């Protein structure tokens, strides 16, 4: 029988960059952290990659902020793949705006996952990974489901090398360690 990560947690690493794990999933007692709010007994995953690129966040006041971030991040990852993870209610409008502005963008119910830029919801992103991820409106992701924290955890852990967060209003407390 083959071993799996769920059988042997200590023997398996998470395909996420060390900086992403450190900023998003660290569990310091004086501040709430995303994983700790889901399951305080859960041990954080161990990163197996080190890029030295810290996650970032910026306020988003207009669709143009998202388009600029996608263009910038897409150029940075070169031939790599960029996942843009949105709240489900935002996918139709923001997804179309990104697809119009950025060549080789896939979106829809079953987007072409080999495209350079893939715009999708948390439910669509579950189980996938991208070289870089931009999470859009984490507060809305938290609010749109009774499992909001788990959904946000899924969203931020799809990035293997780089993570960016665009947010309306203040950044949720679960993500307060992400540098600006």
């Amino acid at each position: 029988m083959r071993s799996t990560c769920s059988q042997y947690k200590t023997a398996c690493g998470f395909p996420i960059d060390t900086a992403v794990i450190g900023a998003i999933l660290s569990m310091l007692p004086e501040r709430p952290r995303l994983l700790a709010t889901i399951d305080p007994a859960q041990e954080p995953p161990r990163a197996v990659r080190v890029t030295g690129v810290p996650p970032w966040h910026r306020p988003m006041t207009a669709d143009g902020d998202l388009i600029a971030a996608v263009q910038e991040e897409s150029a940075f990852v070169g031939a790599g793949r960029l996942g843009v993870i949105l709240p489900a209610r935002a996918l139709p409008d923001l997804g179309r705006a990104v697809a119009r502005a950025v060549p080789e963008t896939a979106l829809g119910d079953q987007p072409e996952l080999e495209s350079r830029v893939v715009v999708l919801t948390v439910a669509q992103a579950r189980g996938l990974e991208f070289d870089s991820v931009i999470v859009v409106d984490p507060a809305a992701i938290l609010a749109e489901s009774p499992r909001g924290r788990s959904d946000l955890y899924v969203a931020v852990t799809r990035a293997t090398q780089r993570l960016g967060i665009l947010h309306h209003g203040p950044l949720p407390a679960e993500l307060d360690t992400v540098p600006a």
Side-chain angles (χ1 to χ4, degrees):
M1 179 174 168
R2 289 181 51 169
S3 64
T4 66
C5 287
S6 61
Q7 290 173 313
Y8 300 102
K9 283 185 183 177
T10 58
C12 296
F14 221 63
I16 296 176
D17 179 70
T18 301
V20 173
I21 291 285
I24 304 302
L25 304 176
S26 64
M27 297 193 306
L28 301 174
E30 71 274 8
R31 292 178 153 183
R33 295 291 179 263
L34 184 55
L35 185 58
T37 63
I38 296 168
D39 182 356
Q42 180 68 42
E43 298 221 7
R46 210 170 21 99
V48 296
R49 293 188 173 124
V50 179
T51 64
V53 179
W56 54 265
H57 75 86
R58 321 182 179 141
M60 181 177 142
T61 57
D63 293 0
D65 296 332
L66 171 59
I67 292 166
V70 170
Q71 289 171 330
E72 177 183 314
E73 198 64 23
S74 179
F76 193 89
V77 298
R81 292 182 320 124
L82 169 62
V84 181
I85 303 176
L86 306 165
R89 65 169 173 69
L91 183 63
D93 294 334
L94 289 178
R96 278 194 302 272
V98 170
R100 280 192 304 268
V102 180
E104 300 179 56
T105 296
L107 72 141
D109 291 337
Q110 295 183 343
E112 175 51 55
L113 297 177
E114 294 303 314
S115 297
R116 288 197 58 238
V117 177
V118 182
V119 181
L120 62 173
T121 66
V122 174
Q124 291 173 305
R126 191 168 265 112
L128 303 176
E129 58 182 43
F130 298 91
D131 299 297
S132 181
V133 167
I134 297 175
V135 176
V136 179
D137 200 358
I141 291 171
L142 283 168
E144 77 179 354
S145 160
R147 296 183 41 86
R149 286 188 174 108
S150 294
D151 288 347
L152 185 55
Y153 178 85
V154 167
V156 300
T157 58
R158 300 306 90 202
T160 62
Q161 299 175 38
R162 296 172 53 90
L163 174 67
I165 300 169
L166 294 173
H167 53 92
H168 299 289
L171 197 61
E174 291 86 351
L175 301 176
D176 68 356
T177 61
V178 178

